[in-house]
Amino acid sequence: MGRTITFAVFIFMLWGTADAKFIVEKNSLKVTSPDSLKDVYECAIGNFGIPQYGGTMVGLVMFPKANTKACNGFDEFDISFRSKAGGFPTFLLVDRGDCYFTAKAWNAQKAGAAAILVADDRIEPLITMDTPEEDNAKADYLQNITIPAALISKSLGDRFKKSLSNSEMVSVNLDWRESLPHPDERVEYEFWTNSNDECGVKCESQIDFVKSFKGAAQILEQKGYTQFTPHYITWYCPEAFTLSKQCKSQCINHGRYCAPDPEQDFSRGYDGKDVVVQNLRQVCLFRVANESGKPWLWWDYVTDFSIRCPMKEKKYTKECADEVIRSLGLDLKKIDKCMGDLDADEDNPVLKAEQDAQIGKESRGDVTILPTLVINNRQYRGKLDKGAVLKAICSGFQETTEPAVCLSEDVETNECLENNGGCWQDKAANITACKDTFRGRICACPVVQGVKFVGDGYTHCEAAGSGRCEINNGGCWKQTRNGQTFSACIEDESKGCRCPPGFKGDGVSTCEDVDECKEKVACQCSECKCKNTWGSYECSCSGGLLYMKEHDTCISKKATAEVSWSFMWFILLGLAVAGFGGYAVYKYRIRRYMDSEIRAIMAQYMPLDNQGDNPNHVPHGNV
């Protein structure tokens, strides 16, 4: 008895030495009826069951006439809350007290309720409903709770009961869509865990989760969709007890880093000190794997270690751990160096960083519950289940950036499958503006084969830009008859549809042939005979006349020939006259040029008759 008390006091010291800043994670509860209650309220998400992260649930609130605290099975009272076909799900309202929150949720689930709302029995800020300690309650059912659970305030619970007593229908919408931030295309998440495998159901749930979630986690990490970091809760021993037997067996580095005894018995089995060392090894393994560009190897190590080195088989040792590390091809020396001196009376930088990380920052509170999943700096509440956690992670992606795994049938409902989500679509071309996202559908005009569609996404989307006519003919009219094709899509125009010449209509759904003969827009001369064709017309002339389309007239074939020959003779005569004139000019210019040249030459040797006296000439007789 004394050993148990000593252990309990020691654990209390480990947990209670730091100031806690625990943040209650909440989702919204919207009341849609009755009118007197219409509003949006906060409720605290339970740390069990499966909250519908990224989604909503609509149901009707019911308060049982018997077993109001749900501490017993409702089958004892012949009460069922299962919805009939086509009916709304039941959100069971129960009172707090007399039994564990998880027991209430389990009994509500067995009775057919879709969710449980626990009304607080005191006026206080909302708290997080957690799972009980395994040594105080039978926890066999804990991992089987699948309905979401929420704690509401006493005042809201009282108002619900009053409305129900007045036979008013209380309709509620539970909304988890904004419970987790979703700022961008990558989700950052942390898993606060423990290497101890002897702590009962919680330890078993942790390792089961790691094994089941490993595949999805590694794929998301390898493709860059997520950034994962494992963490380990570490306590410290109060300075007054650092020399005690308990601190020495449960702590390293002189009481700075401790863990509870795995079996809760100091006289047998492994000590808390062994757990701290293995926790440290797993942190260092992640660091070395991350430096090598393969952070996802952490999942392989933890899984393999739990299988090959369990406490129950006395294999929870460094030797066994080293064998697993070697099998994964990681540098053992780097990991040992990272772990440092475990007996030194000084801070271990790795474990000191883990302790500092436990303290809440910004929107995240202190990590005090083990295990804890933190997604986008917000603590996840609910069951550690592969499907539930994957849904929560998927809700952390910005809309339209989710990986394909988040849009699978196992994770979410494709809202584009029913009535195309109310968005625009072209069934003939199999083009739709409905974009399925994890949070719901978005109506946005698509981009198809590099061609952008523009419009409101709901009633209209139209191909625009270069290449638009190659995608469903740009949404324009097109038809082929007798091997001849006409289209209302103009490639040189960035948008719009226009019926081609010979047709009239809106260019989108219809282009009707224009009857040029009937509408008298062509072939209207007195001798003309008009015949309409698809997209054009044919015009002929009576009496052997020839039709000239440019002038819409008929002329004689003989006259045409005479005119043609006259025109030809005129051209030939013109060319002859031009040639003769050119030759005469040429001869005249050549003769003048030669005369001038001869005169210049002759002037150098003798005076010419028509040349005047040269004033610079001096007679030979004058001196």
Side-chain angles (χ1 to χ4, degrees):
M1 181 69 168
R3 180 179 296 149
T4 303
I5 294 174
T6 302
F7 174 76
V9 171
F10 178 67
I11 294 301
F12 174 77
M13 291 181 195
L14 293 176
W15 277 88
T17 48
D19 293 331
K21 189 183 73 173
F22 186 83
I23 292 180
V24 177
E25 303 298 340
K26 303 171 183 176
N27 66 304
S28 68
L29 183 153
K30 182 179 181 181
V31 179
T32 54
S33 68
D35 291 340
S36 59
L37 288 177
K38 278 187 177 180
D39 206 345
V40 178
Y41 306 86
E42 284 188 337
C43 54
I45 304 173
N47 204 31
F48 51 86
I50 301 180
Q52 300 299 312
Y53 282 101
T56 62
M57 286 183 66
V58 177
L60 300 178
V61 177
M62 294 186 65
F63 184 66
K65 295 181 180 179
N67 194 27
T68 58
K69 294 183 178 179
C71 290
N72 300 99
F74 285 96
D75 54 348
E76 299 178 17
F77 303 88
D78 196 25
I79 298 176
S80 174
F81 301 105
R82 288 180 174 82
S83 302
K84 296 180 180 179
F88 283 102
T90 298
F91 294 169
L92 184 62
L93 175 66
V94 301
D95 290 325
R96 179 182 177 182
D98 293 355
C99 61
Y100 292 113
F101 293 120
T102 50
K104 299 175 186 290
W106 179 239
N107 289 329
Q109 179 176 309
K110 289 192 298 180
I116 182 171
L117 304 177
V118 180
D120 206 342
D121 60 355
R122 66 203 75 173
I123 300 175
E124 62 177 356
L126 293 173
I127 65 170
T128 296
M129 299 183 294
D130 196 13
T131 55
E133 293 298 325
E134 283 73 25
D135 58 342
N136 294 327
K138 292 182 179 179
D140 296 341
Y141 61 86
L142 291 180
Q143 297 306 308
N144 295 321
I145 300 174
T146 57
I147 63 172
L151 181 76
I152 63 175
S153 66
K154 182 179 185 303
S155 60
L156 181 59
D158 290 341
R159 294 177 69 186
F160 279 170
K161 295 173 191 175
K162 182 178 179 181
S163 294
L164 292 170
S165 65
N166 293 332
S167 300
E168 292 181 306
M169 183 179 71
V170 179
S171 178
V172 166
N173 185 350
L174 290 174
D175 192 342
W176 292 270
R177 288 177 297 180
E178 300 302 323
S179 296
L180 291 176
H182 45 102
D184 51 38
E185 69 279 1
R186 189 178 73 167
V187 171
E188 299 176 3
Y189 70 108
E190 308 167 0
F191 183 44
W192 289 83
T193 183
N194 200 328
S195 63
N196 179 10
D197 62 10
E198 283 289 333
C199 63
V201 174
K202 282 194 174 182
C203 285
E204 293 173 1
S205 69
Q206 288 181 73
I207 191 58
D208 288 344
F209 167 71
V210 171
K211 290 178 180 178
S212 64
F213 196 68
K214 181 180 77 169
Q218 291 180 325
I219 291 174
L220 290 171
E221 192 79 8
Q222 290 170 7
K223 294 188 176 181
Y225 291 115
T226 60
Q227 180 179 315
F228 167 74
T229 306
H231 286 293
Y232 294 81
I233 292 181
T234 305
W235 299 272
Y236 66 90
C237 185
E239 188 175 352
F241 298 91
T242 54
L243 299 178
S244 67
K245 178 181 178 181
Q246 289 85 353
C247 270
K248 288 182 178 180
S249 64
Q250 311 306 310
C251 309
I252 63 173
N253 292 91
H254 290 251
R256 288 177 173 82
Y257 314 105
C258 314
D261 187 276
E263 302 87 4
Q264 300 186 11
D265 188 340
F266 297 143
S267 63
R268 67 182 181 87
Y270 289 97
D271 294 325
K273 178 179 180 178
D274 300 313
V275 176
V276 177
V277 173
Q278 178 55 216
N279 289 349
L280 175 59
R281 181 174 288 108
Q282 294 189 6
V283 175
C284 285
L285 179 138
F286 174 77
R287 290 192 174 191
V288 172
N290 193 37
E291 290 173 0
S292 68
K294 298 180 179 180
W296 49 84
L297 289 180
W298 178 90
W299 295 89
D300 291 318
Y301 174 79
V302 174
T303 301
D304 293 351
F305 181 81
S306 68
I307 296 171
R308 298 170 61 178
C309 312
M311 287 182 173
K312 292 178 181 179
E313 297 180 13
K314 308 300 180 185
K315 294 181 179 180
Y316 190 84
T317 63
K318 182 182 186 311
E319 291 72 23
C320 187
D322 288 350
E323 288 181 7
V324 178
I325 292 172
R326 290 191 191 96
S327 69
L328 296 175
L330 291 170
D331 193 327
L332 186 57
K333 291 183 179 180
K334 284 187 177 181
I335 295 174
D336 288 339
K337 182 179 179 181
C338 169
M339 293 178 67
D341 186 356
L342 309 181
D343 296 320
D345 187 7
E346 60 184 13
D347 287 338
N348 181 295
V350 177
L351 291 178
K352 181 66 168 60
E354 291 298 292
Q355 283 185 340
D356 293 342
Q358 288 177 225
I359 301 172
K361 296 177 182 178
E362 298 176 353
S363 60
R364 198 211 79 187
D366 294 346
V367 178
T368 58
I369 298 175
L370 190 66
T372 291
L373 190 68
V374 179
I375 303 175
N376 284 349
N377 207 37
R378 192 74 61 80
Q379 292 190 23
Y380 164 86
R381 296 291 181 232
K383 179 183 178 182
L384 269 184
D385 171 82
K386 175 185 176 181
V389 171
L390 185 57
K391 271 195 170 187
I393 289 177
C394 288
S395 72
F397 288 100
Q398 188 179 50
E399 284 85 346
T400 74
T401 67
E402 307 94 335
V405 66
C406 293
L407 304 178
S408 63
E409 294 181 1
D410 296 335
V411 178
E412 65 96 40
T413 301
N414 189 342
E415 296 182 350
C416 292
L417 296 179
E418 184 175 348
N419 194 32
N420 198 52
C423 305
W424 171 88
Q425 66 174 328
D426 186 332
K427 292 182 178 180
N430 194 27
I431 300 174
T432 175
C434 190
K435 176 74 174 179
D436 183 40
T437 73
F438 182 78
R439 292 183 134 72
R441 66 97 175 97
I442 292 176
C443 293
C445 292
V447 176
V448 182
Q449 298 177 20
V451 178
K452 184 178 181 180
F453 283 70
V454 296
D456 60 13
Y458 293 92
T459 60
H460 175 68
C461 285
E462 180 181 355
S466 176
R468 68 188 188 96
C469 293
E470 297 178 9
I471 307 296
N472 192 32
N473 200 50
C476 303
W477 172 89
K478 183 179 182 181
Q479 194 171 348
T480 301
R481 285 187 189 178
N482 301 323
Q484 191 175 20
T485 301
F486 287 98
S487 169
C489 185
I490 311 301
E491 189 67 51
D492 294 337
E493 298 181 6
S494 61
K495 62 179 181 178
C497 303
R498 181 158 46 91
C499 289
F503 293 88
K504 61 181 180 180
D506 59 15
V508 177
S509 57
T510 60
C511 280
E512 297 178 356
D513 174 55
V514 174
D515 191 338
E516 290 86 355
C517 303
K518 185 177 181 180
E519 296 188 9
K520 298 182 178 180
V521 296
C523 198
Q524 296 301 303
C525 63
S526 58
E527 299 88 357
C528 292
K529 292 182 179 180
C530 188
K531 179 183 178 182
N532 186 58
T533 62
W534 186 62
S536 186
Y537 65 94
E538 294 178 357
C539 192
S540 60
C541 298
S542 60
L545 299 178
L546 181 67
Y547 179 69
M548 296 186 70
K549 187 173 183 180
E550 295 79 4
H551 303 285
D552 192 32
T553 187
C554 291
I555 63 174
S556 170
K557 293 182 180 180
K558 182 177 180 182
T560 303
E562 292 175 353
V563 169
S564 299
W565 279 111
S566 297
F567 185 69
M568 284 295 293
W569 280 114
F570 177 78
I571 291 175
L572 290 173
L573 182 60
L575 290 173
V577 171
F580 179 78
Y583 177 76
V585 170
Y586 171 75
K587 291 285 288 181
Y588 174 74
R589 291 191 64 183
I590 287 294
R591 182 177 292 279
R592 288 199 61 185
Y593 175 75
M594 292 183 67
D595 287 347
S596 64
E597 287 294 316
I598 293 170
R599 287 166 63 88
I601 293 171
M602 294 297 294
Q604 297 180 18
Y605 298 98
M606 63 182 64
L608 300 177
D609 294 339
N610 59 350
Q611 182 178 358
D613 292 336
N614 190 338
N616 293 325
H617 180 70
V618 180
H620 292 288
N622 295 333
V623 178

